[in-house]
Amino acid sequence: MPQSIRRSLSIMSLSLAMLATATAMHAATVDFSVVSVPEESGLELTKISVNSDFVCLPKVKRTGKRVDWFTNRVLSLMPNTNNIAYLSFRNNTTNIFLKDLAKQGSSRQRTNRTGVIDFSFSPDGKTLYFSESRGKTTQIFSTDASNGYVCRQITSGANDYSPIQAPARPWYFSPAPKTKADAAYGATI
């Protein structure tokens, strides 16, 4: 192989190696957890909350190059109604509030707790299930979805999250993993 071709191949190899290194270094400095999506053409969004609703967002924890997301439910439609439910952080407490989408006005507080972290409704919309964090434990409770604050404690474990109720099935929850393996548990109420 002529020396001019070998020299060209060496230069190309060096250029490719430098490009790959520069690309890898650039990718390492990009924060892909911050995503912006332009509004789609023709999509009309309606604002349904106000700043004083203090709607919670999922928890994101950044540690060095690591990003952890706690994908708890912070927003849900209430079945068979015009209500939307959301978690709100007010007065150093987190609770569930309902807002009627058909009316303008304030929201109604549905729980009177200190640290609600996620929730769901029964399929008929009559019961509200939620997880509450108290110190180092998280337990599941239920209450009437529309009236009163009386709550029933469902679990007494240390790490119970994500309550759901399937139609005509037992009620389920999945606790936080105590080992590296995740698990889901069910109970009939």
Side-chain angles (χ1 to χ4, degrees), residues 64-167:
K65 293 182 179 180
R66 181 182 169 123
V67 178
D68 292 320
W69 289 56
F70 180 56
T71 56
N72 56 322
R73 182 180 298 224
V74 296
L75 187 69
S76 179
L77 292 173
M78 184 176 177
N80 306 317
T81 70
N82 287 324
N83 290 320
I84 189 165
Y86 62 93
L87 286 183
S88 176
F89 183 75
R90 304 175 190 194
N91 303 317
N92 292 321
T93 65
T94 305
N95 281 286
I96 302 166
F97 285 74
L98 296 177
K99 184 175 277 283
D100 189 336
L101 298 175
K103 300 177 185 175
Q104 294 292 325
S106 61
S107 300
R108 293 182 298 129
Q109 186 171 345
R110 284 308 313 122
T111 55
N112 192 17
R113 312 298 289 187
T114 57
V116 177
I117 58 173
D118 63 2
F119 66 93
S120 68
F121 291 96
S122 61
D124 63 6
K126 293 180 180 180
T127 304
L128 179 60
Y129 297 101
F130 62 93
S131 302
E132 181 182 25
S133 180
R134 294 179 179 177
K136 294 182 180 182
T137 65
T138 303
Q139 297 163 339
I140 295 176
F141 297 83
S142 68
T143 190
D144 184 283
S146 300
N147 299 303
Y149 290 123
V150 176
C151 294
R152 175 182 172 200
Q153 184 173 339
I154 304 294
T155 64
S156 59
N159 292 300
D160 300 327
Y161 294 90
S162 304
I164 61 169
Q165 182 184 0

Side-chain angles (χ1 to χ4, degrees), residues 120 140 161-166 169-174 184-188:
S120 68
I140 295 176
Y161 294 90
S162 304
I164 61 169
Q165 182 184 0
R169 297 275 181 148
W171 176 80
Y172 292 95
F173 65 93
S174 63
Y185 294 87
T188 302

Side-chain angles (χ1 to χ4, degrees), residues 22-96:
T23 301
M25 289 174 59
H26 178 70
T29 61
V30 175
D31 185 358
F32 291 105
S33 66
V34 180
V35 178
S36 175
V37 179
E39 185 177 330
E40 292 187 31
S41 174
L43 180 65
E44 292 184 32
L45 300 175
T46 302
K47 186 174 181 179
I48 58 173
S49 67
V50 294
N51 292 345
S52 60
D53 286 331
F54 300 104
V55 178
C56 294
L57 298 174
K59 295 179 184 180
V60 178
K61 182 179 179 183
R62 296 170 188 265
T63 309
K65 293 182 179 180
R66 181 182 169 123
V67 178
D68 292 320
W69 289 56
F70 180 56
T71 56
N72 56 322
R73 182 180 298 224
V74 296
L75 187 69
S76 179
L77 292 173
M78 184 176 177
N80 306 317
T81 70
N82 287 324
N83 290 320
I84 189 165
Y86 62 93
L87 286 183
S88 176
F89 183 75
R90 304 175 190 194
N91 303 317
N92 292 321
T93 65
T94 305
N95 281 286
I96 302 166

